[in-house]
Amino acid sequence: MAPIADSRQQFDEIPTVVGIFSAFGLVFSVSLFAWICCQRKSSKSNKTPPYKFVHVLKGVDIYPENLNSKKKFGADDKSEAKNKSAMPKNSLHLDLEKRDLNGNFPKTTTKMQGSPDLENSSPKHFAERKKDSVSPDSLKSITSLSSEDKQDKLGTLFFSLEYNFEKKAFVVNIKEARGLPAMDEQSMTSDPYIKMTILPEKKHKVKTRVLRKTLDPAFDETFTFYGIPYSQIQDLTLHFMVLSFDRFSRDDVIGEVLIPLAGIELSEGRLLMDREIIKRNVRKSSGRGELLVSLCYQSTTNTLTVVVLKARHLPKSDVSGLSDPYVKVNLYHAKKRISKKKTHVKKCTPNAVFNELFVFDIPCEGLDDISIEFLVLDSDRGSRNEVIGRLTLGSSAEGTGGEHWKEICEYPRRQIAKWHMLCDG
């Protein structure tokens, strides 16, 4: 029994010994970890940053690894004075107070010994400063003169003409334009393109591509017109319209060039030509023409029947000969357009016959807040249509428009027709 008791005592002492050794090991590992962390922290604080860069907008040295906002941005006047005195001459420093209105820093030239190029550049800087010191009156006179020159000179158009006898084709090459005025006041440039029409029939209409932000566009585009006999070339006229593209509104007209082909010989080959661009010649006649319309108000169904009958004495559209008119009818309720219709286009005529009927539903009882607008337009396939004349019928309309509207209201279910003079669009 004695050996069994001794073995039990030995087994009871083993857990206590293991616990003592594990406690010593835990304390040692914790202390070692704390010592390693302290060493890393001290070495990191003493280490200088590997690089720095200067922030252009703020003018402050920024250290990405060790940025202290109090030291960099919240320093007092004394610390700033010390930093300025301690700063070497060749170091980069940006003073925020010396910026101009645009936020740019002035260019400073440092004079170095033994550099003749810099010494020779001093008179140039003096001359530039002298140029800058110009009185406001002289600036106004210079700008007024420049604006007058720009208004008078619209540039020059360069093109070539040729007739191909084998194919019986008339060839026009639009080469370039030089010295165009700036139509965009913000960017001081233009987005030019050219429309060309062969008059007087207006059957051939072409246009070049739009070239962005240039005053000297080089198009170099060739247009070939087939089926034109050489005997008819003398009776034709080329009309070039120079425009500037505008994405948000109507394109700006820079000017035009009109080339009568009478007296121009193309039998010897290609002919190079250039012409000055002139202002657009808008030929407005004394009258805009007349329009015959018939209206009938149906009080039972609350509808208004409008018949566009005829137009006569319509003016010519610019220099392009006869117009291609059509009528656009707009219905307004309380000065808000609620419906629109339009007629077919009548080709090359100043006296158009339409005879087209439109029926409009009236959203309210009576015609007190209702008005109708007739727009006579010239259809142009190559650009936006131009308004020839305008007519308004309503309770607030003046002249024959108001009289016609009053008769419609007094005599419902009766078709009443009248001629009306068109006014400027």
Side-chain angles (χ1 to χ4, degrees):
M1 296 296 293
I4 296 174
D6 294 337
S7 61
R8 284 182 178 179
Q9 291 179 358
Q10 290 178 0
F11 281 114
D12 292 338
E13 291 177 356
I14 289 173
T16 57
V17 174
V18 172
I20 292 171
F21 277 105
S22 61
F24 277 109
L26 181 62
V27 172
F28 178 76
S29 60
V30 170
S31 59
L32 181 62
F33 179 75
W35 180 79
I36 292 172
C37 291
C38 292
Q39 291 294 328
R40 287 184 178 180
K41 188 175 181 179
S42 61
S43 62
K44 188 176 181 181
S45 61
N46 295 329
K47 187 178 180 181
T48 58
Y51 64 94
K52 72 174 182 178
F53 62 95
V54 177
H55 197 282
V56 176
L57 298 180
K58 299 295 182 181
V60 183
D61 294 341
I62 298 176
Y63 294 83
E65 288 82 10
N66 188 14
L67 179 61
N68 191 350
S69 60
K70 293 182 179 181
K71 291 182 181 180
K72 297 296 178 183
F73 300 98
D76 52 359
D77 297 335
K78 293 181 180 180
S79 62
E80 290 179 358
K82 289 180 180 179
N83 292 333
K84 286 183 180 179
S85 60
M87 185 181 298
K89 294 183 179 180
N90 295 330
S91 63
L92 178 61
H93 176 69
L94 301 176
D95 194 352
L96 298 179
E97 296 179 356
K98 293 182 180 180
R99 291 185 297 177
D100 56 6
L101 295 177
N102 297 326
N104 299 322
F105 292 96
K107 296 181 180 180
T108 58
T109 57
T110 58
K111 187 175 180 181
M112 299 179 66
Q113 297 179 358
S115 58
D117 296 335
L118 293 176
E119 292 177 358
N120 295 331
S121 64
S122 58
K124 294 182 180 179
H125 292 291
F126 178 77
E128 290 178 358
R129 292 179 183 176
K130 191 174 182 180
K131 288 181 182 178
D132 294 337
S133 61
V134 182
S135 61
D137 297 334
S138 61
L139 283 175
K140 290 181 181 178
S141 62
I142 292 171
T143 53
S144 62
L145 289 173
S146 62
S147 61
E148 291 178 357
D149 294 340
K150 288 181 180 178
Q151 290 178 357
D152 295 335
K153 296 181 180 180
L154 300 178
T156 308
L157 179 64
F158 297 85
F159 58 95
S160 66
L161 305 178
E162 185 181 3
Y163 189 81
N164 192 333
F165 290 92
E166 295 180 358
K167 299 180 180 179
K168 293 183 180 180
F170 180 54
V171 182
V172 180
N173 178 259
I174 301 177
K175 294 187 175 297
E176 61 179 346
R178 297 178 187 173
L180 298 181
M183 305 305 291
D184 190 351
E185 296 179 355
Q186 295 181 354
S187 61
M188 295 305 295
T189 57
S190 297
D191 299 331
Y193 70 97
I194 296 177
K195 287 170 42 181
M196 193 196 75
T197 307
I198 299 181
L199 304 179
E201 297 180 355
K202 295 199 308 181
K203 291 182 179 179
H204 304 282
K205 296 180 181 179
V206 294
K207 65 179 179 179
T208 66
R209 67 188 187 279
V210 179
L211 298 182
R212 303 286 183 179
K213 296 182 180 181
T214 178
L215 301 180
D216 300 310
F219 300 102
D220 196 14
E221 296 190 31
T222 302
F223 302 98
T224 304
F225 304 96
Y226 295 93
I228 300 179
Y230 183 74
S231 58
Q232 296 182 4
I233 294 294
Q234 302 292 326
D235 301 331
L236 302 180
T237 301
L238 297 183
H239 180 228
F240 298 93
M241 184 75 70
V242 185
L243 302 101
S244 178
F245 176 76
D246 194 341
R247 181 180 298 175
F248 304 104
S249 63
R250 181 171 293 184
D251 296 346
D252 300 320
V253 178
I254 298 176
E256 65 180 359
V257 176
L258 196 64
I259 307 294
L261 298 182
I264 297 178
E265 291 292 336
L266 300 178
S267 58
E268 297 180 357
R270 180 177 298 181
L271 180 62
L272 299 176
M273 303 180 68
D274 61 277
R275 290 290 187 275
E276 294 291 331
I277 301 172
I278 60 175
K279 289 183 179 180
R280 186 183 184 187
N281 184 17
V282 181
R283 298 181 180 177
K284 289 189 176 180
S285 60
S286 58
R288 298 278 88 193
E290 298 178 76
L291 184 66
L292 177 61
V293 294
S294 176
L295 287 84
C296 178
Y297 174 58
Q298 298 288 343
S299 57
T300 55
T301 58
N302 206 24
T303 57
L304 182 65
T305 303
V306 179
V307 183
V308 181
L309 296 170
K310 297 179 181 180
R312 65 186 180 187
H313 307 314
L314 297 179
K316 295 182 179 180
S317 59
D318 301 337
V319 295
S320 303
L322 299 176
S323 57
D324 301 331
Y326 72 98
V327 181
K328 190 175 181 181
V329 186
N330 297 320
L331 179 68
Y332 288 88
H333 174 245
K335 298 182 180 181
K336 182 179 180 181
R337 189 174 70 178
I338 58 176
S339 182
K340 60 181 180 180
K341 308 283 185 180
K342 67 178 181 179
T343 66
H344 293 86
V345 178
K346 303 299 178 180
K347 294 289 185 181
C348 298
T349 175
N351 304 309
V353 179
F354 299 101
N355 288 332
E356 297 191 32
L357 182 144
F358 308 104
V359 178
F360 296 96
D361 294 326
I362 305 301
C364 59
E365 294 183 0
L367 299 176
D368 295 335
D369 297 332
I370 301 298
S371 63
I372 289 187
E373 179 188 45
F374 297 89
L375 290 175
V376 183
L377 300 101
D378 180 22
S379 177
D380 194 347
R381 184 182 60 185
S383 63
R384 299 181 183 179
N385 301 331
E386 184 179 357
V387 178
I388 298 175
R390 184 190 304 268
L391 169 65
T392 303
L393 301 182
S395 58
S396 60
E398 299 178 355
T400 58
E403 296 175 1
H404 196 176
W405 195 260
K406 186 178 180 180
E407 293 182 16
I408 295 166
C409 298
E410 291 178 355
Y411 303 99
R413 298 185 301 276
R414 181 185 296 181
Q415 201 79 25
I416 301 174
K418 276 192 176 183
W419 283 98
H420 297 275
M421 295 292 295
L422 297 173
C423 60
D424 293 335

